[in-house]
Amino acid sequence: MASPSPSPSPSPGTPAEADWEQAPSLLDGASHLTLTAADCDLRYWLGAVPHGTLRGNVLGHADDVRPTDAVSRPGPLNSALTQELAYRSVAEEKATRALGHLVALAPDVGTMEFYATQLLDEARHSMVFRRHLLRLGVAEDRLAATVDALAAEDRERILEPLETLGLRVLREERDFIGGVLVLTVLVEGVLAPAAELSERKWRVFDPAAADIERGAGIDEIRHLTVGSSVVRAHLLDHPEDKPRLLELMREGYALWEKLPTTEQLLRRERLFQEGVEAHRRLLGDYEVWPGRRLVDTTPEERLETGHEWARRMQRTRLRHMGLEEAT
Ligand code: FE
Ligand code: FE
């Protein structure tokens, strides 16, 4: 119950870090693996992702893996998951569009190919998060309008300020490394732990959503580790650029402080909690993380655990990049 749905056909030749069965969790992988753009070029992606990570499941889960009624019917779990998916679908769409600038600015073929693959990954994430809403009762002809309505407030208060910073660096300043840093540290680095928590907490209620998260998380290991390698290599070649990048980090963290992300996460965790209370038997002894049953957790505890994972992962990764002063 606690692990991803089994693969119908294991895929020989897929590197372990991109394999559905063997890939580590997002937090483990992003904290401990080292991958470079040269490792993860277009040839790697074509060989590893469609048939390894995705196992041919373009929607991120096998056909026979479905949400439980507890989630697909109207109720607090349905509200919590539809809000989350709508928001993340918009976030991934914005990331995809921003990546177009990174592809254009990439200084060599290696980084150009890597960011082209990341662009496709993020476009896919946006699609699978959005399309899963169809399994949760949203009508196909209402999909776009529903995403807009569910995500409107968070889009304006969280995503647009981040996008403004990203586009200033990428479009106005045409700063490739600055753009990589904003994307990999500020956007993905801060959101990744929430994605890991999401996979774990939806696993029983909606195994399809958890599988979608698992696949996106495997991609994310690559995005975070390669992004870190790109910044690290740049700083080894251009140590004089460090003060400028640290200043950009300070600006980004100051912006994050002002965004109402805690309020947003707590709102969804409280809805989730109502669902936990109503469906305790379904969860049984399922452990959301080792040693902790999901039924015993509180909204605040889940939120704080996600924050703690984020802090730990950021410290490890910034040290690897040579920007430990930013923490
Ligand atoms: Fe993504
Ligand atoms: Fe990503």
Side-chain angles (χ1 to χ4, degrees), residues 247-272:
E247 184 49 40
L248 182 57
M249 283 292 87
R250 265 189 291 276
E251 184 187 355
Y253 283 136
L255 172 62
W256 262 107
E257 297 275 294
K258 288 191 282 178
L259 302 179
T261 50
T262 301
E263 189 188 313
Q264 175 211 38
L265 290 171
L266 208 52
R267 184 183 71 220
R268 294 202 306 246
E269 288 300 341
R270 287 188 176 135
L271 282 169
F272 186 82

PDB file of all heavy atoms in Angstrom, residues 247-272:
ATOM      1  N   GLU A 247      23.461  37.771  -3.724  1.00  0.00           N
ATOM      2  CA  GLU A 247      22.522  38.888  -3.617  1.00  0.00           C
ATOM      3  C   GLU A 247      21.164  38.498  -4.230  1.00  0.00           C
ATOM      4  O   GLU A 247      20.101  38.805  -3.682  1.00  0.00           O
ATOM      5  CB  GLU A 247      23.115  40.127  -4.319  1.00  0.00           C
ATOM      6  CG  GLU A 247      22.277  41.391  -4.208  1.00  0.00           C
ATOM      7  CD  GLU A 247      21.819  41.696  -2.778  1.00  0.00           C
ATOM      8  OE1 GLU A 247      22.620  41.506  -1.844  1.00  0.00           O
ATOM      9  OE2 GLU A 247      20.648  42.099  -2.587  1.00  0.00           O
ATOM     10  N   LEU A 248      21.208  37.789  -5.344  1.00  0.00           N
ATOM     11  CA  LEU A 248      19.965  37.322  -5.972  1.00  0.00           C
ATOM     12  C   LEU A 248      19.224  36.350  -5.038  1.00  0.00           C
ATOM     13  O   LEU A 248      17.989  36.392  -4.921  1.00  0.00           O
ATOM     14  CB  LEU A 248      20.294  36.651  -7.316  1.00  0.00           C
ATOM     15  CG  LEU A 248      19.127  36.137  -8.169  1.00  0.00           C
ATOM     16  CD1 LEU A 248      18.128  37.251  -8.479  1.00  0.00           C
ATOM     17  CD2 LEU A 248      19.654  35.515  -9.467  1.00  0.00           C
ATOM     18  N   MET A 249      19.975  35.484  -4.362  1.00  0.00           N
ATOM     19  CA  MET A 249      19.363  34.570  -3.394  1.00  0.00           C
ATOM     20  C   MET A 249      18.699  35.331  -2.262  1.00  0.00           C
ATOM     21  O   MET A 249      17.588  35.007  -1.847  1.00  0.00           O
ATOM     22  CB  MET A 249      20.426  33.644  -2.778  1.00  0.00           C
ATOM     23  CG  MET A 249      20.898  32.505  -3.649  1.00  0.00           C
ATOM     24  SD  MET A 249      19.607  31.288  -3.930  1.00  0.00           S
ATOM     25  CE  MET A 249      18.822  31.981  -5.345  1.00  0.00           C
ATOM     26  N   ARG A 250      19.410  36.339  -1.763  1.00  0.00           N
ATOM     27  CA  ARG A 250      18.836  37.137  -0.667  1.00  0.00           C
ATOM     28  C   ARG A 250      17.529  37.784  -1.112  1.00  0.00           C
ATOM     29  O   ARG A 250      16.538  37.783  -0.389  1.00  0.00           O
ATOM     30  CB  ARG A 250      19.829  38.226  -0.214  1.00  0.00           C
ATOM     31  CG  ARG A 250      20.672  37.793   0.978  1.00  0.00           C
ATOM     32  CD  ARG A 250      21.477  38.956   1.538  1.00  0.00           C
ATOM     33  NE  ARG A 250      22.532  39.386   0.614  1.00  0.00           N
ATOM     34  CZ  ARG A 250      23.736  38.804   0.558  1.00  0.00           C
ATOM     35  NH1 ARG A 250      24.043  37.813   1.366  1.00  0.00           N
ATOM     36  NH2 ARG A 250      24.635  39.227  -0.306  1.00  0.00           N
ATOM     37  N   GLU A 251      17.548  38.313  -2.326  1.00  0.00           N
ATOM     38  CA  GLU A 251      16.335  38.946  -2.847  1.00  0.00           C
ATOM     39  C   GLU A 251      15.202  37.922  -2.959  1.00  0.00           C
ATOM     40  O   GLU A 251      14.058  38.179  -2.587  1.00  0.00           O
ATOM     41  CB  GLU A 251      16.626  39.561  -4.228  1.00  0.00           C
ATOM     42  CG  GLU A 251      15.438  40.312  -4.786  1.00  0.00           C
ATOM     43  CD  GLU A 251      15.645  40.775  -6.231  1.00  0.00           C
ATOM     44  OE1 GLU A 251      16.762  40.607  -6.787  1.00  0.00           O
ATOM     45  OE2 GLU A 251      14.666  41.295  -6.803  1.00  0.00           O
ATOM     46  N   GLY A 252      15.557  36.729  -3.449  1.00  0.00           N
ATOM     47  CA  GLY A 252      14.544  35.689  -3.618  1.00  0.00           C
ATOM     48  C   GLY A 252      13.966  35.209  -2.290  1.00  0.00           C
ATOM     49  O   GLY A 252      12.756  35.060  -2.149  1.00  0.00           O
ATOM     50  N   TYR A 253      14.841  34.973  -1.317  1.00  0.00           N
ATOM     51  CA  TYR A 253      14.353  34.528  -0.006  1.00  0.00           C
ATOM     52  C   TYR A 253      13.481  35.602   0.646  1.00  0.00           C
ATOM     53  O   TYR A 253      12.484  35.296   1.286  1.00  0.00           O
ATOM     54  CB  TYR A 253      15.516  34.154   0.918  1.00  0.00           C
ATOM     55  CG  TYR A 253      16.138  32.794   0.612  1.00  0.00           C
ATOM     56  CD1 TYR A 253      17.522  32.628   0.595  1.00  0.00           C
ATOM     57  CD2 TYR A 253      15.334  31.679   0.366  1.00  0.00           C
ATOM     58  CE1 TYR A 253      18.089  31.382   0.327  1.00  0.00           C
ATOM     59  CE2 TYR A 253      15.897  30.444   0.108  1.00  0.00           C
ATOM     60  CZ  TYR A 253      17.272  30.293   0.084  1.00  0.00           C
ATOM     61  OH  TYR A 253      17.842  29.084  -0.169  1.00  0.00           O
ATOM     62  N   ALA A 254      13.877  36.870   0.472  1.00  0.00           N
ATOM     63  CA  ALA A 254      13.071  37.964   1.048  1.00  0.00           C
ATOM     64  C   ALA A 254      11.685  37.975   0.401  1.00  0.00           C
ATOM     65  O   ALA A 254      10.672  38.219   1.071  1.00  0.00           O
ATOM     66  CB  ALA A 254      13.780  39.303   0.839  1.00  0.00           C
ATOM     67  N   LEU A 255      11.645  37.691  -0.886  1.00  0.00           N
ATOM     68  CA  LEU A 255      10.341  37.627  -1.565  1.00  0.00           C
ATOM     69  C   LEU A 255       9.504  36.473  -0.997  1.00  0.00           C
ATOM     70  O   LEU A 255       8.323  36.633  -0.681  1.00  0.00           O
ATOM     71  CB  LEU A 255      10.556  37.449  -3.078  1.00  0.00           C
ATOM     72  CG  LEU A 255       9.305  37.167  -3.920  1.00  0.00           C
ATOM     73  CD1 LEU A 255       8.316  38.334  -3.840  1.00  0.00           C
ATOM     74  CD2 LEU A 255       9.691  36.920  -5.385  1.00  0.00           C
ATOM     75  N   TRP A 256      10.126  35.299  -0.850  1.00  0.00           N
ATOM     76  CA  TRP A 256       9.403  34.133  -0.310  1.00  0.00           C
ATOM     77  C   TRP A 256       8.766  34.425   1.041  1.00  0.00           C
ATOM     78  O   TRP A 256       7.661  34.018   1.328  1.00  0.00           O
ATOM     79  CB  TRP A 256      10.350  32.932  -0.147  1.00  0.00           C
ATOM     80  CG  TRP A 256      10.256  31.970  -1.284  1.00  0.00           C
ATOM     81  CD1 TRP A 256      11.188  31.798  -2.267  1.00  0.00           C
ATOM     82  CD2 TRP A 256       9.182  31.063  -1.581  1.00  0.00           C
ATOM     83  NE1 TRP A 256      10.758  30.845  -3.149  1.00  0.00           N
ATOM     84  CE2 TRP A 256       9.530  30.368  -2.757  1.00  0.00           C
ATOM     85  CE3 TRP A 256       7.967  30.763  -0.967  1.00  0.00           C
ATOM     86  CZ2 TRP A 256       8.715  29.399  -3.331  1.00  0.00           C
ATOM     87  CZ3 TRP A 256       7.141  29.795  -1.542  1.00  0.00           C
ATOM     88  CH2 TRP A 256       7.520  29.129  -2.716  1.00  0.00           C
ATOM     89  N   GLU A 257       9.560  35.141   1.887  1.00  0.00           N
ATOM     90  CA  GLU A 257       9.056  35.474   3.228  1.00  0.00           C
ATOM     91  C   GLU A 257       7.716  36.179   3.154  1.00  0.00           C
ATOM     92  O   GLU A 257       6.893  36.061   4.050  1.00  0.00           O
ATOM     93  CB  GLU A 257      10.051  36.418   3.929  1.00  0.00           C
ATOM     94  CG  GLU A 257      11.401  35.816   4.163  1.00  0.00           C
ATOM     95  CD  GLU A 257      11.435  35.016   5.441  1.00  0.00           C
ATOM     96  OE1 GLU A 257      11.306  35.626   6.507  1.00  0.00           O
ATOM     97  OE2 GLU A 257      11.569  33.773   5.355  1.00  0.00           O
ATOM     98  N   LYS A 258       7.528  36.942   2.094  1.00  0.00           N
ATOM     99  CA  LYS A 258       6.314  37.768   1.997  1.00  0.00           C
ATOM    100  C   LYS A 258       5.143  37.013   1.379  1.00  0.00           C
ATOM    101  O   LYS A 258       4.015  37.480   1.409  1.00  0.00           O
ATOM    102  CB  LYS A 258       6.612  39.022   1.160  1.00  0.00           C
ATOM    103  CG  LYS A 258       7.489  40.027   1.902  1.00  0.00           C
ATOM    104  CD  LYS A 258       7.558  41.354   1.169  1.00  0.00           C
ATOM    105  CE  LYS A 258       8.519  41.273  -0.011  1.00  0.00           C
ATOM    106  NZ  LYS A 258       8.635  42.453  -0.813  1.00  0.00           N
ATOM    107  N   LEU A 259       5.410  35.834   0.779  1.00  0.00           N
ATOM    108  CA  LEU A 259       4.326  35.122   0.093  1.00  0.00           C
ATOM    109  C   LEU A 259       3.488  34.325   1.103  1.00  0.00           C
ATOM    110  O   LEU A 259       4.039  33.740   2.030  1.00  0.00           O
ATOM    111  CB  LEU A 259       4.902  34.162  -0.957  1.00  0.00           C
ATOM    112  CG  LEU A 259       5.771  34.798  -2.041  1.00  0.00           C
ATOM    113  CD1 LEU A 259       6.288  33.711  -2.990  1.00  0.00           C
ATOM    114  CD2 LEU A 259       5.012  35.856  -2.825  1.00  0.00           C
ATOM    115  N   PRO A 260       2.177  34.286   0.894  1.00  0.00           N
ATOM    116  CA  PRO A 260       1.312  33.607   1.865  1.00  0.00           C
ATOM    117  C   PRO A 260       1.263  32.089   1.683  1.00  0.00           C
ATOM    118  O   PRO A 260       0.197  31.482   1.647  1.00  0.00           O
ATOM    119  CB  PRO A 260      -0.058  34.233   1.596  1.00  0.00           C
ATOM    120  CG  PRO A 260      -0.019  34.596   0.150  1.00  0.00           C
ATOM    121  CD  PRO A 260       1.413  34.944  -0.173  1.00  0.00           C
ATOM    122  N   THR A 261       2.444  31.451   1.584  1.00  0.00           N
ATOM    123  CA  THR A 261       2.451  30.008   1.308  1.00  0.00           C
ATOM    124  C   THR A 261       2.015  29.173   2.520  1.00  0.00           C
ATOM    125  O   THR A 261       1.379  28.137   2.356  1.00  0.00           O
ATOM    126  CB  THR A 261       3.848  29.532   0.876  1.00  0.00           C
ATOM    127  OG1 THR A 261       4.787  30.034   1.826  1.00  0.00           O
ATOM    128  CG2 THR A 261       4.228  30.060  -0.491  1.00  0.00           C
ATOM    129  N   THR A 262       2.357  29.627   3.724  1.00  0.00           N
ATOM    130  CA  THR A 262       1.957  28.868   4.915  1.00  0.00           C
ATOM    131  C   THR A 262       0.440  28.836   5.027  1.00  0.00           C
ATOM    132  O   THR A 262      -0.161  27.787   5.286  1.00  0.00           O
ATOM    133  CB  THR A 262       2.579  29.488   6.181  1.00  0.00           C
ATOM    134  OG1 THR A 262       3.994  29.467   6.027  1.00  0.00           O
ATOM    135  CG2 THR A 262       2.192  28.728   7.430  1.00  0.00           C
ATOM    136  N   GLU A 263      -0.143  29.995   4.800  1.00  0.00           N
ATOM    137  CA  GLU A 263      -1.605  30.112   4.836  1.00  0.00           C
ATOM    138  C   GLU A 263      -2.259  29.163   3.816  1.00  0.00           C
ATOM    139  O   GLU A 263      -3.222  28.456   4.121  1.00  0.00           O
ATOM    140  CB  GLU A 263      -1.907  31.571   4.476  1.00  0.00           C
ATOM    141  CG  GLU A 263      -3.309  32.046   4.620  1.00  0.00           C
ATOM    142  CD  GLU A 263      -3.407  33.458   4.012  1.00  0.00           C
ATOM    143  OE1 GLU A 263      -2.533  34.311   4.303  1.00  0.00           O
ATOM    144  OE2 GLU A 263      -4.333  33.689   3.225  1.00  0.00           O
ATOM    145  N   GLN A 264      -1.684  29.122   2.621  1.00  0.00           N
ATOM    146  CA  GLN A 264      -2.217  28.266   1.569  1.00  0.00           C
ATOM    147  C   GLN A 264      -2.110  26.783   1.955  1.00  0.00           C
ATOM    148  O   GLN A 264      -3.074  26.026   1.837  1.00  0.00           O
ATOM    149  CB  GLN A 264      -1.427  28.516   0.271  1.00  0.00           C
ATOM    150  CG  GLN A 264      -1.802  27.599  -0.868  1.00  0.00           C
ATOM    151  CD  GLN A 264      -0.623  27.308  -1.789  1.00  0.00           C
ATOM    152  OE1 GLN A 264       0.511  27.154  -1.357  1.00  0.00           O
ATOM    153  NE2 GLN A 264      -0.912  27.264  -3.077  1.00  0.00           N
ATOM    154  N   LEU A 265      -0.919  26.380   2.429  1.00  0.00           N
ATOM    155  CA  LEU A 265      -0.718  24.974   2.763  1.00  0.00           C
ATOM    156  C   LEU A 265      -1.592  24.565   3.941  1.00  0.00           C
ATOM    157  O   LEU A 265      -2.163  23.475   3.955  1.00  0.00           O
ATOM    158  CB  LEU A 265       0.761  24.713   3.087  1.00  0.00           C
ATOM    159  CG  LEU A 265       1.710  24.801   1.891  1.00  0.00           C
ATOM    160  CD1 LEU A 265       3.167  24.754   2.354  1.00  0.00           C
ATOM    161  CD2 LEU A 265       1.449  23.669   0.892  1.00  0.00           C
ATOM    162  N   LEU A 266      -1.719  25.449   4.908  1.00  0.00           N
ATOM    163  CA  LEU A 266      -2.524  25.138   6.082  1.00  0.00           C
ATOM    164  C   LEU A 266      -4.000  24.993   5.710  1.00  0.00           C
ATOM    165  O   LEU A 266      -4.701  24.114   6.221  1.00  0.00           O
ATOM    166  CB  LEU A 266      -2.336  26.233   7.140  1.00  0.00           C
ATOM    167  CG  LEU A 266      -2.528  25.805   8.588  1.00  0.00           C
ATOM    168  CD1 LEU A 266      -1.704  24.583   8.940  1.00  0.00           C
ATOM    169  CD2 LEU A 266      -2.154  26.962   9.531  1.00  0.00           C
ATOM    170  N   ARG A 267      -4.451  25.831   4.802  1.00  0.00           N
ATOM    171  CA  ARG A 267      -5.844  25.736   4.338  1.00  0.00           C
ATOM    172  C   ARG A 267      -6.097  24.345   3.755  1.00  0.00           C
ATOM    173  O   ARG A 267      -7.082  23.678   4.079  1.00  0.00           O
ATOM    174  CB  ARG A 267      -6.094  26.820   3.278  1.00  0.00           C
ATOM    175  CG  ARG A 267      -7.520  26.913   2.775  1.00  0.00           C
ATOM    176  CD  ARG A 267      -7.631  27.967   1.664  1.00  0.00           C
ATOM    177  NE  ARG A 267      -6.985  27.509   0.442  1.00  0.00           N
ATOM    178  CZ  ARG A 267      -6.250  28.292  -0.366  1.00  0.00           C
ATOM    179  NH1 ARG A 267      -6.043  29.557  -0.082  1.00  0.00           N
ATOM    180  NH2 ARG A 267      -5.723  27.788  -1.459  1.00  0.00           N
ATOM    181  N   ARG A 268      -5.176  23.863   2.921  1.00  0.00           N
ATOM    182  CA  ARG A 268      -5.358  22.540   2.314  1.00  0.00           C
ATOM    183  C   ARG A 268      -5.174  21.423   3.330  1.00  0.00           C
ATOM    184  O   ARG A 268      -5.872  20.411   3.291  1.00  0.00           O
ATOM    185  CB  ARG A 268      -4.393  22.366   1.137  1.00  0.00           C
ATOM    186  CG  ARG A 268      -4.703  23.313  -0.025  1.00  0.00           C
ATOM    187  CD  ARG A 268      -4.133  22.807  -1.340  1.00  0.00           C
ATOM    188  NE  ARG A 268      -2.710  22.518  -1.282  1.00  0.00           N
ATOM    189  CZ  ARG A 268      -1.767  23.173  -1.952  1.00  0.00           C
ATOM    190  NH1 ARG A 268      -2.094  24.157  -2.761  1.00  0.00           N
ATOM    191  NH2 ARG A 268      -0.511  22.834  -1.858  1.00  0.00           N
ATOM    192  N   GLU A 269      -4.215  21.589   4.252  1.00  0.00           N
ATOM    193  CA  GLU A 269      -4.011  20.547   5.270  1.00  0.00           C
ATOM    194  C   GLU A 269      -5.229  20.422   6.179  1.00  0.00           C
ATOM    195  O   GLU A 269      -5.528  19.336   6.670  1.00  0.00           O
ATOM    196  CB  GLU A 269      -2.756  20.827   6.106  1.00  0.00           C
ATOM    197  CG  GLU A 269      -1.425  20.609   5.383  1.00  0.00           C
ATOM    198  CD  GLU A 269      -1.213  19.179   4.887  1.00  0.00           C
ATOM    199  OE1 GLU A 269      -1.887  18.242   5.366  1.00  0.00           O
ATOM    200  OE2 GLU A 269      -0.384  18.990   3.977  1.00  0.00           O
ATOM    201  N   ARG A 270      -5.906  21.514   6.437  1.00  0.00           N
ATOM    202  CA  ARG A 270      -7.091  21.436   7.305  1.00  0.00           C
ATOM    203  C   ARG A 270      -8.226  20.707   6.606  1.00  0.00           C
ATOM    204  O   ARG A 270      -8.950  19.927   7.236  1.00  0.00           O
ATOM    205  CB  ARG A 270      -7.517  22.837   7.750  1.00  0.00           C
ATOM    206  CG  ARG A 270      -6.553  23.375   8.774  1.00  0.00           C
ATOM    207  CD  ARG A 270      -7.014  24.672   9.404  1.00  0.00           C
ATOM    208  NE  ARG A 270      -6.062  25.061  10.436  1.00  0.00           N
ATOM    209  CZ  ARG A 270      -5.578  26.301  10.596  1.00  0.00           C
ATOM    210  NH1 ARG A 270      -5.979  27.275   9.805  1.00  0.00           N
ATOM    211  NH2 ARG A 270      -4.714  26.544  11.556  1.00  0.00           N
ATOM    212  N   LEU A 271      -8.384  20.943   5.322  1.00  0.00           N
ATOM    213  CA  LEU A 271      -9.373  20.172   4.559  1.00  0.00           C
ATOM    214  C   LEU A 271      -9.004  18.696   4.579  1.00  0.00           C
ATOM    215  O   LEU A 271      -9.840  17.819   4.776  1.00  0.00           O
ATOM    216  CB  LEU A 271      -9.428  20.662   3.104  1.00  0.00           C
ATOM    217  CG  LEU A 271     -10.183  21.958   2.826  1.00  0.00           C
ATOM    218  CD1 LEU A 271      -9.900  22.424   1.393  1.00  0.00           C
ATOM    219  CD2 LEU A 271     -11.685  21.747   3.029  1.00  0.00           C
ATOM    220  N   PHE A 272      -7.711  18.434   4.358  1.00  0.00           N
ATOM    221  CA  PHE A 272      -7.232  17.054   4.358  1.00  0.00           C
ATOM    222  C   PHE A 272      -7.534  16.396   5.706  1.00  0.00           C
ATOM    223  O   PHE A 272      -7.966  15.238   5.763  1.00  0.00           O
ATOM    224  CB  PHE A 272      -5.724  17.033   4.064  1.00  0.00           C
ATOM    225  CG  PHE A 272      -5.147  15.655   3.898  1.00  0.00           C
ATOM    226  CD1 PHE A 272      -5.254  14.976   2.691  1.00  0.00           C
ATOM    227  CD2 PHE A 272      -4.483  15.023   4.952  1.00  0.00           C
ATOM    228  CE1 PHE A 272      -4.721  13.699   2.540  1.00  0.00           C
ATOM    229  CE2 PHE A 272      -3.951  13.746   4.810  1.00  0.00           C
ATOM    230  CZ  PHE A 272      -4.066  13.082   3.596  1.00  0.00           C
TER     231      PHE A 272
END
